[in-house]
Amino acid sequence: MASVLLIEDDAAIRTALTRGLRERGHAVSTSGTGMDGLRQTLADRPDLVVLDLGLPDLDGGEVLRMLRAVSRVPVIVATARDQESDIVRLLDAGADDYLVKPFSSAQLDARIRAVLRRLGESRTDESVVVGELRLDPRAREATLAGVPLDLSPREFDLLHYLAARQGEVVTKRELLVEVWQVPYGGADKTVDVHLSWLRRKLGETAQEPRYLQTVRGVGVKLVAPS
C-alpha cells in the first residue's frame, strides 16, 4: 500500500492509528512534533502525511505552510476544529483532505486511498491545450503562448480542472467538491478569489475575459479566445 507519516502528539491516538493502518497494509512512521515531522518528511519522502493541528511545538497550520514551501507530498489534516472557515483555510493552504476528530483508522485508510487514487489519476493525464494555453499535469506546469505561468498548486488544479472540460460550464459547487474537496457549500468566495487571481495571470479581467468566461447564475467555463 502506501508509506504514511503520522504527525500526532497524542501517544494513544498515534498508537491506535499506527496499528490500524499497518493492519491495512500501510508502512507507518510517526512523529510527535512538527519540526521532527518536517525533518522526517524531507528525509524519508513518504507517500502521504497525516498531520495533526494541535502539536506541542508548532501549530499544524504552520507545519502545513512550511511543508508546502518545499514539498508536494499529499497531506491529510487531522483536526478537532470543525468550523468551515478553518477547514477552507487549511484546504487553501495546500491540504489535500481533512478529517475531524474523532475518526477511526478505517475511515483514515479510506481517505488515504482516495487521495492517492485521485493524485495517481491526475498524474496519468495527458497535456491539455486550449488556444495558446498548455497544461502538463504530470510536470504540473502551465504556459501561455510559450511563457511559463507562475501558479500556486491550487491555481494549477483549478485551471487544469476547467481546461480538461473546456467549453463546459462548471458550477462553483462542483469546483468546491472536485478541486477543494469541500463536501458542502458556503465558500463560493474562495472560488471567486482564485478565479480572479487566474484571470490576472492569464492577462484578462472579468470585464474583458478571454479564456475564463462567467455564465451568470450558473458557473464558469474555459474556452479558447475567438
Side-chain angles (χ1 to χ4, degrees), residues 54-76:
L55 298 170
D57 56 339
L58 292 171
D59 180 78
E62 181 67 9
V63 175
L64 176 62
R65 186 189 67 78
M66 296 169 71
L67 267 177
R68 279 292 167 261
V70 295
S71 173
R72 289 178 176 169
V73 62
V75 176
I76 296 177

Side-chain angles (χ1 to χ4, degrees), residues 60-107:
E62 181 67 9
V63 175
L64 176 62
R65 186 189 67 78
M66 296 169 71
L67 267 177
R68 279 292 167 261
V70 295
S71 173
R72 289 178 176 169
V73 62
V75 176
I76 296 177
V77 169
T79 174
R81 306 171 194 174
D82 59 0
Q83 292 295 313
E84 178 182 323
S85 58
D86 288 330
I87 293 169
V88 171
R89 177 177 55 82
L90 290 164
L91 292 168
D92 282 343
D96 295 275
D97 202 350
Y98 68 92
L99 276 170
V100 176
K101 294 179 178 179
F103 54 83
S104 66
S105 57
Q107 186 177 3

Side-chain angles (χ1 to χ4, degrees), residues 8-186:
E8 165 65 63
D9 70 316
D10 187 303
I13 294 175
R14 194 166 62 235
T15 298
L17 290 178
T18 297
R19 182 174 60 249
L21 291 178
R22 285 176 176 167
E23 288 174 353
R24 289 166 173 81
H26 298 290
V28 183
S29 56
T30 65
S31 175
T33 67
M35 289 305 298
D36 183 63
L38 286 166
R39 181 192 62 76
Q40 286 196 50
T41 301
L42 296 177
D44 300 337
R45 297 184 179 275
D47 294 324
L48 183 140
V49 171
V50 178
L51 175 63
D52 177 37
L53 294 184
L55 298 170
D57 56 339
L58 292 171
D59 180 78
E62 181 67 9
V63 175
L64 176 62
R65 186 189 67 78
M66 296 169 71
L67 267 177
R68 279 292 167 261
V70 295
S71 173
R72 289 178 176 169
V73 62
V75 176
I76 296 177
V77 169
T79 174
R81 306 171 194 174
D82 59 0
Q83 292 295 313
E84 178 182 323
S85 58
D86 288 330
I87 293 169
V88 171
R89 177 177 55 82
L90 290 164
L91 292 168
D92 282 343
D96 295 275
D97 202 350
Y98 68 92
L99 276 170
V100 176
K101 294 179 178 179
F103 54 83
S104 66
S105 57
Q107 186 177 3
L108 177 57
D109 171 53
R111 295 295 186 97
I112 289 171
R113 288 185 284 108
V115 167
L116 294 178
R117 182 171 62 248
R118 186 170 70 245
L119 292 176
E121 289 170 352
S122 70
R123 285 168 184 158
T124 62
D125 287 347
E126 297 298 326
S127 295
V128 180
V129 178
V130 184
E132 294 185 305
L133 178 65
R134 183 182 185 90
L135 293 97
D136 182 347
R138 286 172 290 187
R140 295 188 65 82
E141 294 175 348
T143 59
L144 181 61
V147 179
L149 295 175
D150 183 16
L151 302 178
S152 70
R154 189 71 69 188
E155 288 169 348
F156 182 90
D157 291 340
L158 175 57
L159 187 59
H160 180 256
Y161 190 84
L162 292 170
R165 293 154 184 79
Q166 57 184 292
E168 299 178 17
V169 179
V170 181
T171 66
K172 294 177 184 177
R173 174 87 285 271
E174 180 179 343
L175 292 173
L176 285 169
V177 171
E178 298 297 334
V179 178
W180 274 264
Q181 303 297 310
V182 178
Y184 46 76

